Amino acid sequence: MATSTFADRPRKVLVLFDVDGTLSLARQAASPEMIELLQELRKKVVIGFVGGSDLVKISEQLSVTGEPAINMFDYAFAENGLTAFKDGKQLESQSFIKFVGEDRYKVLVNFILHYLADIDIPIKRGTFVEFRNGMINVSPIGRNASIQERIEFEKYDKQHGIRTEFVKVLREKFADYGLTFAIGGQISFDVFPNGWDKTYALRHVQDEGFEEIHFFGDKTYQGGNDYEIFTDERTIGHSVQNPLDTARIIRELFF
């Protein structure tokens, strides 16, 4: 039986959402219509987001009404749930650097930077490796790229497999590190310890007694950062193409 925390919901169901490509276009703000739909959904079920980005970036995308994102959702999972909130209160977090260790991290990041320097792509910007609490994010074009540059890189990447090949090399080179390399969004991929993918967020909800846990995501293919939670036996997975697709399925299932 679900905890009394959510006793006001008619259904003991949890609905979790990826952010980029699911609730909003990549690194863009969610539409007011999406936020309104989510608030209506919250009257019926428990809702949460599970994003790979850090909480600051996710908040920029979801706090479009001025309300903090962690207050608009019952569960807020940034960095795959390694930074987690329930009812606006922070839960236990994890540290990537503690897991890897300083010496091994330096070997990893030095290799990544050398590899990035040798990649020949049409444009490069800045912030190629972003250190986060529970992972690192690697972007061949750089996270400072504009929205239009991101769109162009994504098209180029689909043709030339820049990220796919990069991830393949890292998996082989650092096979003994116990790390997962997951492509997400338009321009980057995440690096985190095995098991610290988006299924990590499920650790925070496993004792709540939910009858169903739904997950919506766009990168649900193998190697995408939604794959593990999408295929997990504890969830009912919904693969979406974009936020409009997400809204359509929400209405079909819950209204």
Side-chain angles (χ1 to χ4, degrees):
M1 184 173 179
T3 177
S4 58
T5 305
F6 306 116
D8 60 325
R9 313 303 159 86
R11 298 177 61 183
K12 296 172 184 175
V13 171
L14 171 62
V15 185
L16 296 172
F17 299 93
D18 166 53
V19 181
D20 274 354
T22 301
L23 293 182
S24 73
L25 297 177
R27 291 297 301 128
Q28 297 184 47
S31 69
E33 292 78 14
M34 175 61 79
I35 298 302
E36 182 179 353
L37 178 61
L38 291 172
Q39 294 314 297
E40 288 301 310
L41 178 63
R42 194 180 182 190
K43 296 175 183 177
K44 300 174 179 290
V45 300
V46 180
I47 68 170
F49 64 76
V50 189
S53 294
D54 60 44
L55 186 59
V56 171
K57 292 184 179 65
I58 293 174
S59 296
E60 290 172 353
Q61 294 173 256
L62 299 181
S63 301
V64 295
T65 64
E67 181 78 9
I70 61 172
N71 295 336
M72 296 164 55
F73 293 79
D74 301 296
Y75 286 100
F77 298 126
E79 301 184 47
N80 294 351
L82 301 172
T83 297
F85 291 80
K86 175 185 176 183
D87 286 332
K89 299 180 180 64
Q90 188 161 11
L91 304 176
E92 182 182 2
S93 63
Q94 291 287 355
S95 168
F96 176 84
I97 200 67
K98 286 182 181 177
F99 176 88
V100 176
E102 290 288 356
D103 290 340
R104 295 208 307 168
Y105 174 69
K106 283 191 290 185
V107 174
L108 171 65
V109 79
N110 285 343
F111 181 88
I112 288 172
L113 291 171
H114 280 291
Y115 189 100
L116 285 165
D118 292 334
I119 290 178
D120 184 20
I121 56 177
I123 61 171
K124 292 183 180 180
R125 292 300 179 250
T127 312
F128 301 100
V129 178
E130 183 176 79
F131 183 84
R132 300 173 182 172
N133 184 57
M135 66 179 73
I136 60 172
N137 178 266
V138 181
S139 174
I141 187 176
R143 297 197 60 85
N144 292 352
S146 68
I147 290 173
Q148 185 57 42
E149 289 165 347
R150 287 165 177 261
I151 292 170
E152 291 171 359
F153 174 80
E154 185 178 31
K155 292 177 183 176
Y156 184 87
D157 187 45
K158 285 179 179 178
Q159 291 180 331
H160 300 278
I162 301 298
R163 288 184 292 176
T164 299
E165 180 60 26
F166 199 167
V167 162
K168 179 183 176 183
V169 170
L170 289 172
R171 283 179 180 148
E172 293 173 355
K173 177 72 175 177
F174 297 96
D176 61 335
Y177 268 44
L179 297 174
T180 294
F181 303 86
I183 295 171
Q186 295 174 298
I187 63 168
S188 64
F189 59 88
D190 297 325
V191 183
F192 49 82
N194 294 337
W196 289 19
D197 52 62
K198 289 186 178 180
T199 60
Y200 192 92
L202 299 178
R203 302 184 191 190
H204 296 294
V205 306
Q206 60 189 5
D207 296 328
E208 295 288 354
F210 291 113
E211 294 172 358
E212 294 177 354
I213 300 176
H214 292 256
F215 173 77
F216 288 72
D218 67 318
K219 296 291 190 299
T220 56
Y221 51 83
Q222 191 163 7
N225 67 352
D226 295 325
Y227 176 77
E228 288 83 4
I229 190 169
F230 173 76
T231 58
D232 193 283
E233 62 182 10
R234 293 168 290 181
T235 68
I236 300 169
H238 306 280
S239 186
V240 302
Q241 300 299 314
N242 50 51
L244 289 176
D245 201 25
T246 301
R248 176 185 61 80
I249 298 174
I250 289 174
R251 293 189 181 97
E252 289 177 357
L253 290 176
F254 301 108
F255 290 90

